[in-house]
Amino acid sequence: MAERIYKQQNELVEIIKRHVNGDGVYATAIPSLFFIRRSNMSGPSYGVYKPSFCIVAQGAKEVWLAQERYKYSPAEYLIASVNLPVTAQITEASFDVPYLGFRLEFSANQILEILNDSEIRVGAKEDVKRGMFVSRLELSLLDAVMRLVRLLESPQDIPILAPLFIKEILYRVLQGQNGVALEQIVIEGSSASQIKEAIEHITNNYDKSFRIEKLAEKVNMSVSTFHRHFKDITAMSPIQFQKQIRLQEARRLLLSESTDAADVAFRVGYESTSQFSREYSRMFGFPPKADIKRLKEGI
């Protein structure tokens, strides 16, 4: 079995190499499937992980969710079950042996369809788990991954077969030891699905202030229960969650639009430019102007 896994991983590396051209994130002909290549261990990157299934074909990576670190290499896979602001760092990569990654994004409807069509046990409604986990990559799951990526060599088969193989991948994840952390998000009336609704509200309205009491009421929870379950899933409070999304968006705007830091601060919802600068420096290690200058110069 170990030899078969080794051969499949090598094949995955070769397929990714054929579909990337230099460092970057590449969309593939399969909707929702992306390949990633990095040839160095540059500084941390910041972003919001959408619900996704991620594996490392070559190299290693770690992802920070608040103060929690998730490390994975070709022997594991990582799942994000909801939108989560994270810090990611490539920990093994070089020019000769670059980091190569695979990311498959999915929707709650896809998970719900599998649960409705299968006999997978649905977890208890109150069994709230963290919205991110790392598990061992078993051969049955890797087999499904390989069936999916091989379709890139026969694109005419993608419309019919890709949905089937994606469904198999998600089915295998749901069968795994951490599958309950994925299924909880789609169970109607569960605490996790209510928190997912709150996460989507904050993500879509990150530039607007909100009252915890109103948001808790919106998802039919008491304030104390809402706080507890929100932190159970995201490892942070609702205010911390919003702050990370605001600051990440501010950094993206500063990099892409070369606009004034004060203007960006107001656009992402800050009323005080000094507070924005303090929190930006705390998160990224430098004040806005210095940070963007450093990034553009490749320091």
Side-chain angles (χ1 to χ4, degrees), residues 8-299:
Q8 299 234 52
Q9 288 173 330
N10 283 343
E11 182 185 356
L12 179 58
V13 166
E14 294 306 314
I15 290 174
I16 293 176
K17 284 181 177 179
R18 290 198 292 272
H19 290 86
V20 300
N21 181 25
D23 287 356
V25 178
Y26 295 82
T28 72
I30 298 172
S32 74
L33 176 62
F34 301 84
F35 292 152
I36 304 96
R37 183 188 188 277
R38 297 281 184 246
S39 59
N40 58 65
M41 296 180 290
S42 56
S45 61
Y46 300 83
V48 176
Y49 272 21
K50 296 180 180 179
S52 51
F53 165 78
C54 308
I55 59 178
V56 173
Q58 182 171 273
K61 187 176 187 178
E62 62 183 34
V63 176
W64 288 86
L65 177 64
Q67 301 303 312
E68 297 180 355
R69 181 173 64 170
Y70 296 81
K71 300 173 65 176
Y72 65 117
S73 61
E76 299 90 24
Y77 65 90
L78 176 141
I79 287 283
S81 63
V82 292
N83 293 330
L84 293 170
V86 300
T87 305
Q89 175 78 60
I90 305 299
T91 55
E92 288 183 24
S94 67
F95 181 80
D96 294 325
V97 187
Y99 168 88
L100 298 173
F102 164 113
R103 183 176 81 236
L104 178 66
E105 296 179 355
F106 58 83
S107 69
N109 284 340
Q110 287 173 291
I111 302 301
L112 187 59
E113 180 184 355
I114 295 169
L115 292 176
N116 288 336
D117 292 348
S118 69
E119 296 181 357
I120 296 175
R121 180 190 64 82
V122 176
K125 285 190 175 183
E126 299 305 317
D127 192 12
V128 178
K129 304 289 186 182
R130 186 73 82 229
M132 179 172 283
F133 62 85
V134 170
S135 290
R136 184 169 183 80
L137 183 60
E138 302 291 347
L139 179 59
S140 59
L141 180 52
L142 182 57
D143 281 343
V145 167
M146 296 311 301
R147 279 190 281 277
L148 179 67
V149 297
R150 287 177 188 135
L151 290 177
L152 295 171
E153 311 302 315
S154 55
Q156 71 277 5
D157 296 331
I158 289 174
I160 301 300
L161 295 181
L164 300 178
F165 298 153
I166 290 171
K167 188 172 184 178
E168 182 183 1
I169 289 169
L170 297 175
Y171 173 74
R172 297 296 180 190
V173 173
L174 284 164
Q175 284 185 314
Q177 66 182 87
N178 291 305
V180 67
L182 190 52
E183 68 185 44
Q184 67 176 355
I185 298 301
V186 301
I187 301 172
E188 186 177 357
S190 70
S191 298
S193 68
Q194 291 168 295
I195 296 300
K196 175 178 175 290
E197 182 183 344
I199 286 172
E200 290 174 349
H201 177 83
I202 296 173
T203 303
N204 294 331
N205 300 277
Y206 67 87
D207 57 334
K208 300 178 178 64
S209 60
F210 64 88
R211 293 178 56 215
I212 296 293
E213 295 81 2
K214 288 292 185 181
L215 192 51
E217 181 182 351
K218 178 180 175 66
V219 297
N220 298 312
M221 285 185 174
S222 69
V223 171
S224 59
T225 300
F226 175 70
H227 261 293
R228 184 174 76 255
H229 287 328
F230 195 98
K231 193 162 187 177
D232 284 341
I233 290 178
T234 69
M236 62 192 87
S237 72
I239 298 300
Q240 290 169 330
F241 184 95
Q242 182 191 47
K243 184 185 301 183
Q244 287 212 17
I245 292 179
R246 280 182 169 181
L247 292 172
Q248 289 185 13
E249 177 63 11
R251 199 187 206 205
R252 187 192 68 79
L253 290 171
L254 287 167
L255 270 172
S256 62
E257 299 184 10
S258 300
T259 188
D260 180 69
D263 177 58
V264 166
F266 290 120
R267 285 172 63 182
V268 300
Y270 280 87
E271 297 180 359
S272 165
T273 54
S274 60
Q275 180 187 3
F276 168 71
S277 184
R278 283 195 306 273
E279 293 185 353
Y280 188 104
S281 299
R282 192 176 300 122
M283 183 165 176
F284 299 118
F286 297 88
K289 185 175 181 179
D291 181 50
I292 300 307
K293 181 174 185 293
R294 181 181 63 90
L295 291 173
K296 289 184 175 180
E297 293 177 352
I299 298 176

